[in-house]
Amino acid sequence: RVDDARYAQQAQADAQQLGDLFEYKLKEPVTIRKNQSAPVPILNSEVDAEKVSLWNAASGSARALRAIWLTNATGSTLDGGSFSIVEGEAFAGEGLMDPLKAGERRLLSYAMDLALTIDAKSESVPSVLTSVKISRGVVIQQTEERLRSTYAARNEDTEPRALVIEHPIRSGWTLGGTIKPAESTPGWNRFRVTIAPKTTVTFAVEETRPVQSLLQVSSVTDDQMTVLVRQRVLSPAHEAALREVLSRK
């Protein structure tokens, strides 16, 4: 059995950190005869891993990937290379990983998830004028641009799925709404959602960005004045001053 074989292997090396480098020292000498090879287990330890489905907004595919959310709890650096996943004593997939330091957490994909599909779309939401200031003959308008990304995920399996969606972090944009990421990296916000069997879950990620525009008081038109009044961002004093300018024009 896989479990029996795994526990039967005893680590024959000690790991040691050397700054950003690391090494494994063999506890006992190993003799390798000419034209022979010898596999030597150097690390045998439990790690924390959670099975999830993973979809990245830049993947260009409607299919999610099977992945594990792995935390290196061994106390040693895990060297980079290939890894294999075994489920129920059967091969489930394989992938590649970079070196993983002790305590580091990482998402590692290993196979296509044939039961989960994602439909994504982004749309601009009408901007909102948030404030207006008048200084030295200039109208300073502060506008809030809005962007909404909608994700619809369908689970065709008979078991629930924990889906992690990697949404890009855009420079200058701030997350809004009530949905918060479970984790963030320098380039991605990771949102987690659970999908029941044979159902579709839809959720939206909202983002905002402040934009400032300048307008000469002397060039304000009737239409612009109407917009400012309608959005209720002018103080009574500012509204009276602008109406005075329009009457003089």
Side-chain angles (χ1 to χ4, degrees), residues 113-172:
D113 190 339
L114 300 179
L116 206 59
T117 56
I118 293 89
D119 179 33
K121 64 179 182 180
S122 296
E123 58 181 347
S124 297
V125 181
S127 58
V128 175
L129 187 62
T130 57
S131 68
V132 173
K133 296 180 181 179
I134 300 177
S135 177
R136 298 182 179 181
V138 177
V139 179
I140 305 171
Q141 300 182 87
Q142 195 75 24
T143 304
E144 187 178 74
E145 290 188 358
R146 297 181 177 182
L147 182 66
R148 180 185 294 122
S149 300
T150 304
Y151 299 99
R154 174 70 182 180
N155 179 17
E156 294 292 353
D157 201 359
T158 56
E159 297 182 354
R161 282 285 200 273
L163 172 64
V164 177
I165 290 182
E166 292 186 323
H167 179 84
I169 295 178
R170 300 178 176 91
S171 178

Side-chain angles (χ1 to χ4, degrees), residues 22-180:
F22 61 94
E23 66 175 359
Y24 299 102
K25 290 185 177 180
L26 295 178
K27 297 178 180 179
E28 300 291 339
V30 176
T31 300
I32 304 177
R33 301 185 183 279
K34 183 179 179 180
N35 296 325
Q36 292 184 348
S37 61
V40 180
I42 59 175
L43 184 63
N44 182 24
S45 181
E46 295 282 347
V47 294
D48 297 329
E50 178 188 8
K51 184 170 69 174
V52 298
S53 295
L54 173 65
W55 187 83
N56 186 287
S59 65
S61 173
R63 294 284 184 184
L65 299 175
R66 297 300 275 159
I68 54 172
W69 219 335
L70 177 68
T71 300
N72 180 8
T74 66
S76 304
T77 296
L78 299 180
D79 198 5
S82 63
F83 66 92
S84 300
I85 301 296
V86 177
E87 296 183 40
E89 302 186 14
F91 176 75
E94 61 183 358
L96 295 174
M97 62 175 282
D98 293 327
L100 194 65
K101 286 186 172 293
E104 187 177 353
R105 190 184 190 207
R106 190 175 300 168
L107 269 171
L108 303 174
S109 60
Y110 60 88
M112 185 75 72
D113 190 339
L114 300 179
L116 206 59
T117 56
I118 293 89
D119 179 33
K121 64 179 182 180
S122 296
E123 58 181 347
S124 297
V125 181
S127 58
V128 175
L129 187 62
T130 57
S131 68
V132 173
K133 296 180 181 179
I134 300 177
S135 177
R136 298 182 179 181
V138 177
V139 179
I140 305 171
Q141 300 182 87
Q142 195 75 24
T143 304
E144 187 178 74
E145 290 188 358
R146 297 181 177 182
L147 182 66
R148 180 185 294 122
S149 300
T150 304
Y151 299 99
R154 174 70 182 180
N155 179 17
E156 294 292 353
D157 201 359
T158 56
E159 297 182 354
R161 282 285 200 273
L163 172 64
V164 177
I165 290 182
E166 292 186 323
H167 179 84
I169 295 178
R170 300 178 176 91
S171 178
W173 291 85
T174 303
L175 286 177
T178 58
I179 298 179
K180 303 301 179 184

Side-chain angles (χ1 to χ4, degrees), residues 176-195:
T178 58
I179 298 179
K180 303 301 179 184
E183 181 180 271
S184 295
T185 71
W188 305 94
N189 282 314
R190 289 171 174 164
F191 295 91
R192 176 174 177 151
V193 60
T194 300
I195 311 173

